[in-house]
Amino acid sequence: MRKGSLKEVLAKIKHDPREDERDYYIVIEHRGAYGNEKRIPVEMIELGYGYFFIGETQIPYHRIIQVVRKDGKVVWERRSRD
């Protein structure tokens, strides 16, 4: 399930021509949301050094819990869920 670092997985999804970023979403910790989690399509994010961006909003990578394909396959998951 966990193949490479989170940044490597996201970069492959975003930049590899064999992948379609519209087929993936990330699950982040989002306090106040239902279940304290929120799903965000990968096509909406821009990758940064220590953060990713949704428009002007900056979110740290450590808030990402999972990277999931739309068919439900988890391609990356944080080792420990708090």
Side-chain angles (χ1 to χ4, degrees):
M1 190 178 324
R2 188 180 174 95
K3 299 175 185 170
S5 75
L6 172 60
K7 291 180 189 177
E8 290 171 343
V9 170
L10 289 173
K12 182 177 190 284
I13 292 168
K14 297 283 281 177
H15 303 295
D16 188 329
R18 296 170 292 182
E19 298 290 346
D20 185 348
E21 66 183 338
R22 296 172 296 184
D23 290 338
Y24 295 87
Y25 62 89
I26 60 173
V27 179
I28 66 166
E29 288 181 51
H30 187 75
R31 290 173 186 83
Y34 181 74
N36 289 325
E37 295 180 356
K38 185 174 183 177
R39 293 180 178 188
I40 301 169
V42 170
E43 66 186 309
M44 291 182 62
I45 69 173
E46 291 184 38
L47 305 179
Y49 178 68
Y51 299 84
F52 65 94
F53 298 87
I54 302 171
E56 305 238 348
T57 304
Q58 180 175 318
I59 302 171
Y61 285 112
H62 72 263
R63 299 236 334 252
I64 298 177
I65 299 168
Q66 295 178 321
V67 178
V68 184
R69 224 172 35 204
K70 285 188 178 176
D71 66 5
K73 181 179 180 190
V74 176
V75 296
W76 183 91
E77 186 170 36
R78 186 168 64 191
R79 285 198 175 111
S80 65
R81 292 184 71 169
D82 301 327

